[in-house]
Amino acid sequence: MGKCNNSEEVDVFVAQIDPKEASASLKMLGSLFPLPESLGHLKRIRKDAQQTSLLITQTSDQITQDSILSILENNNFKLKDNTLSIAKVSKYPPVTREQLNEWKACWPMSFHEPRKEAPIEFTDSDLTEIEGFLDLVNTTANDAPGSKGQLSIAAAIIDPKTSQVISVCRDNRHRHPLQHAVMQAIAAVAEKERERRESKSDPVTTRKRKSLDSDESVIGNAPYLGDSEDEGGDGYLCTGLDAYLSREPCAMCSMALLHSRIRRVFYEEPRKDGGLGSAYKIHVHPNLNHKFAAFRIERK
């Protein structure tokens, strides 16, 4: 086997199998020795003209070749010569085709071409509007002393197609630990949606929203973006909407924005445990089923 040039390597146990047993072996191996998520980029089988090799599991101090062979034998796992060897494989997945071509020399692996995002550009008009909505949340956050212990944090949900404010809320976690500004703002959107459905006698279980051509595409007094090009009118609370925050959201609030299918988030003040860039990047996490753009705005 080749060497994983320019990549950190780890050791794995490998066995030779009959090519005819490959399908059954893979199915059984998935339950006996599932690969850790960190090695999910590796394929389980390597085929060449001479042999078919099967990646069994990563080596460790907790497991020996004899114990692995015993487990395989007890489950009627068919190895060609009933022995294991150790191979070196790439510890990390490739992020470019050049890395793939180098690293697959030691063991075959999967590769997903990264999406090439077009650069995002804002016009002067866009920037003026963004600053205006950030002024709104900052004014809301600092408008009055508030109750004892109340934090100067606020959030607003905006319809970008109409530039109308759907909700704007101040942090209330001094009353309840879950009432962060973002959670309050999303809850306010949900309340307006409930009122809209009740006023139109829509069943609460309705999942598809009407299009913008319909008179029912409003929440409260603000037009609501029921259908978006990205989500296809999927019935989530914030599909196609933007959030403006006085401070970077925590992980909980970042996940709430993701689950409600927010379109974009703008914030000013970062925080060390923030969920959109400082500590985590929840908005672009590869294992989550929605992604959104997040912008930290720095003003002089």
Side-chain angles (χ1 to χ4, degrees), residues 67-288:
S67 61
I68 293 174
L69 290 171
S70 177
I71 292 172
L72 295 176
E73 184 179 354
N74 291 338
N75 286 273
N76 297 317
F77 199 96
K78 298 179 180 179
L79 299 181
K80 229 177 181 183
D81 51 12
N82 204 35
T83 61
L84 300 177
S85 60
I86 294 179
K88 292 187 179 298
V89 299
S90 173
K91 183 177 181 179
Y92 302 110
V95 295
T96 67
R97 288 205 171 272
E98 290 74 15
Q99 288 179 340
L100 173 67
N101 292 332
E102 285 188 18
W103 299 354
K104 70 180 183 181
C106 59
W107 193 268
M109 59 184 68
S110 302
F111 173 68
H112 303 285
E113 192 82 51
R115 291 176 55 188
K116 295 182 179 179
E117 303 289 349
I120 298 173
E121 296 182 356
F122 294 107
T123 64
D124 290 342
S125 176
D126 292 334
L127 293 173
T128 299
E129 184 172 71
I130 289 169
E131 290 184 355
F133 287 130
L134 288 174
D135 287 340
L136 169 66
V137 294
N138 285 324
T139 299
T140 302
N142 301 292
D143 192 32
S147 304
K148 184 178 181 180
Q150 187 172 20
L151 300 177
S152 296
I153 304 172
I157 307 294
I158 309 296
D159 183 343
K161 287 196 172 182
T162 61
S163 299
Q164 293 200 45
V165 179
I166 295 178
S167 70
V168 57
C169 297
R170 190 172 177 181
D171 194 281
N172 276 331
R173 71 186 78 179
H174 63 295
R175 297 177 181 171
H176 190 285
L178 296 182
Q179 290 185 356
H180 294 205
V182 168
M183 306 296 284
Q184 296 281 89
I186 295 174
V189 174
E191 178 61 20
K192 287 184 177 180
E193 170 71 348
R194 184 187 65 79
E195 292 172 359
R196 180 190 71 83
R197 293 187 182 189
E198 288 182 352
S199 68
K200 298 295 182 179
S201 299
D202 284 350
V204 174
T205 55
T206 298
R207 296 305 300 161
K208 296 288 184 182
R209 292 207 182 104
K210 308 297 187 293
S211 70
L212 287 174
D213 295 330
S214 167
D215 290 338
E216 295 185 356
S217 60
V218 298
I219 296 181
N221 296 319
Y224 197 89
L225 191 61
D227 289 324
S228 75
E229 294 178 355
D230 294 332
E231 299 296 339
D234 52 18
Y236 288 93
L237 280 173
C238 296
T239 294
L241 303 182
D242 292 344
Y244 289 81
L245 319 176
S246 60
R247 192 169 79 169
E248 182 183 2
C250 64
M252 176 185 72
C253 290
S254 299
M255 284 301 298
L257 289 165
L258 184 143
H259 284 308
S260 60
R261 296 302 192 264
I262 202 72
R263 175 175 174 251
R264 299 183 302 182
V265 174
F266 300 87
Y267 69 90
E268 285 194 274
E269 181 188 346
R271 50 183 292 174
K272 64 179 181 180
D273 58 346
L276 301 183
S278 295
Y280 311 99
K281 294 182 179 179
I282 290 173
H283 58 302
V284 291
H285 195 288
N287 294 332
L288 298 176

